Structures are given as structure tokens and as C-alpha cells.
Amino acid sequence: MGWYKEGKVNVVAGQTNVTGVGTNFAANTLTGDAFIGPDGQWYEVINAPSPTTLSISPAYRSATVSNANYALMPVQGYQRDLAIAAGAIIQQWGSTLAGLGTVSTENVVPVNKGGTGGATAALARAGLELKTGAVADVEGIATAGAIIERGSNTYGTYVKFAGGLLIGFGLQRSPTIAANTYAMTTVLTYPHQFLAGTFPSVSGVAYGLSSADHYGMYDMSAYTANRHISGTVAIRNGGTAQFFDVRYMVIGVWK
């Protein structure tokens, strides 16, 4: 690297500040370089904070001068500092680098050497034998690839799984049932349709308005022709005509 001599300098006797004219000190010198002043003497560069400002040590020994020639000489200690820094890196990481063995020459590290075996995300997943669940949303829209889907509507709530399992929860009210009457009351419109032709399993409990009456849930199997849409509740009422709130859970498949 050559000496830097661009522009001129102004120096003041007994001062450590050097002002440049048409210079770019900040980009062309470092702390520790040599400043050769207009008087021909050598000074150490202490700082170069801007293109036109330089600090030297010791203070300028000669008479004040303006618009004078100068030179900045890079000091050969750079190579020594570089060697010291490189030695520290080798000392700290040498054994680690040596332990890499042939991995250090691999463009794509195979799985049997601790890599993924792929240069892209898709190839890496394939190399690690990851299934589609590795990139699926845990919760979202099942038909769009999510593992779990949750939803709700006026009929209740449901949880839908990518594998096909569907669970619904609902609370629906029956019509009024006459006293001492056994009634097959269709009240369950499921919050999500089940696969046509399947037989979802339903269980639950019915609550009447009067605790003095006797009522019970005798069967909650899905009896309707469209088994994937709704179910039928069988209730035996007590001595007072009343309606029932039916709380239920239905389990089946959606695909």
C-alpha cells in the first residue's frame, strides 16, 4: 500500500490537530500510521475522525504552516496484527475445524454426517424423512392442510382433524313434550356435516324445566335418513308438559 499524499494540510506549532484541504484522512489512514509533516518529521496518527481532521502525537514540533505538503505512511505492523489475530482464531477453533473431516469439503452435508442432505427446504425435509405435518399449520382450515380446525355456528362448535376425525358439541332445545309422554324429538342439527353413509356416535343429557318431573335420555343415536346432518333424541317426560335442553357430543368422520 502506497503512501497517502492527496491534498494539503494546515498545522499549528505545539498543536496535535491537523486540518486537511482536499484530503480524505478517514478512508486512507488508521491509528498507528505515520504522519510525515511539512517539517519532514515523523508523528504517530492517534485518530482520523473525518476526511479533513487528523490527530497526531507528539504535538507539531515546528513552525505553523498552511497549505503544505505531507504524507501518511502505513505501518508494517498491520501484517503482524493480522498474524496475531489469525493465530488466536486457529488456537480457538483449530481443533473444531480439524474435527469436521470430510464435512468441510461437502457442498451439501448428508444426513449420515449430521446434515440435512438437501440444498433446499423441500429436499432437506425429504432427507430427514419428515412428513407433510412438518409444514402444516397446527390450527387452521383442515381442507387447506391444517392439522386441526375449530369452528362454531348457531348449532354448536366442532373440532375437525386432518386425519378425518370430527367431534361436535351442541346445546339445542326440544319442542314441548306432553306430560307422561315418550317422545322421539329431532332436535340435533349437527354443527358440522359428517361423511354421508357413516354412523356418528352421539351421547348427551337432557335437562327439563322442573326438577320435580322425571325425564331421561333413552337414546341419542342418529336415526334420520341424512345421518351426516342431524340426530334424533328420545325423551320420556314426567308429569308436567315441558321442553328440554339437550346438551350433546357427536363423534364421527368428515372424510
Side-chain angles (χ1 to χ4, degrees):
M1 181 177 180
W3 295 15
Y4 182 73
K5 305 174 183 177
E6 183 178 343
K8 303 291 183 179
V9 294
N10 301 327
V11 290
V12 178
Q15 299 294 316
T16 59
N17 294 328
V18 177
T19 302
V21 179
T23 59
N24 191 0
F25 294 145
N28 291 279
T29 189
L30 295 172
T31 299
D33 282 352
F35 173 75
I36 303 173
D39 59 358
Q41 298 190 48
W42 289 37
Y43 302 84
E44 180 184 0
V45 174
I46 302 302
N47 191 19
S50 75
T52 59
T53 305
L54 193 70
S55 296
I56 61 173
S57 178
Y60 192 66
R61 302 185 184 97
S62 303
T64 299
V65 63
S66 299
N67 202 34
N69 292 324
Y70 75 100
L72 285 168
M73 186 187 77
V75 176
Q76 296 304 311
Y78 293 158
Q79 294 179 355
R80 177 176 175 275
D81 291 344
L82 178 61
I84 292 173
I89 293 173
I90 293 171
Q91 183 177 4
Q92 181 177 0
W93 298 104
S95 59
T96 302
L97 295 173
L100 291 176
T102 57
V103 172
S104 61
T105 64
E106 302 277 2
N107 290 326
V108 178
V109 181
V111 175
N112 63 356
K113 293 183 179 180
T116 64
T120 66
L123 291 175
R125 290 193 297 271
L128 295 173
E129 299 183 1
L130 298 178
K131 303 299 183 181
T132 55
V135 294
D137 293 330
V138 174
E139 187 167 332
I141 305 301
T143 53
I147 297 174
I148 300 173
E149 176 182 334
R150 301 176 189 270
S152 62
N153 50 47
T154 56
Y155 300 112
T157 61
Y158 66 88
V159 182
K160 190 175 178 181
F161 296 87
L165 178 65
L166 174 62
I167 304 174
F169 305 88
L171 174 61
Q172 297 178 42
R173 178 164 292 180
S174 76
T176 298
I177 301 175
N180 302 311
T181 301
Y182 174 83
M184 297 289 290
T185 305
T186 303
V187 296
L188 305 182
T189 300
Y190 300 144
H192 192 288
Q193 291 188 4
F194 290 83
L195 182 66
T198 62
F199 298 87
S201 175
V202 189
S203 62
V205 63
Y207 298 94
L209 297 177
S210 173
S211 60
D213 294 319
H214 300 285
Y215 52 87
M217 184 65 57
Y218 291 95
D219 190 59
M220 288 190 66
S221 299
Y223 287 120
T224 59
N226 296 319
R227 297 179 185 273
H228 61 299
I229 296 175
S230 62
T232 300
V233 181
I235 299 175
R236 183 175 295 279
N237 192 13
T240 300
Q242 61 182 321
F243 59 80
F244 289 82
D245 285 332
V246 181
R247 188 181 299 275
Y248 70 94
M249 178 177 69
V250 55
I251 301 176
V253 297
W254 64 274
K255 69 174 182 177

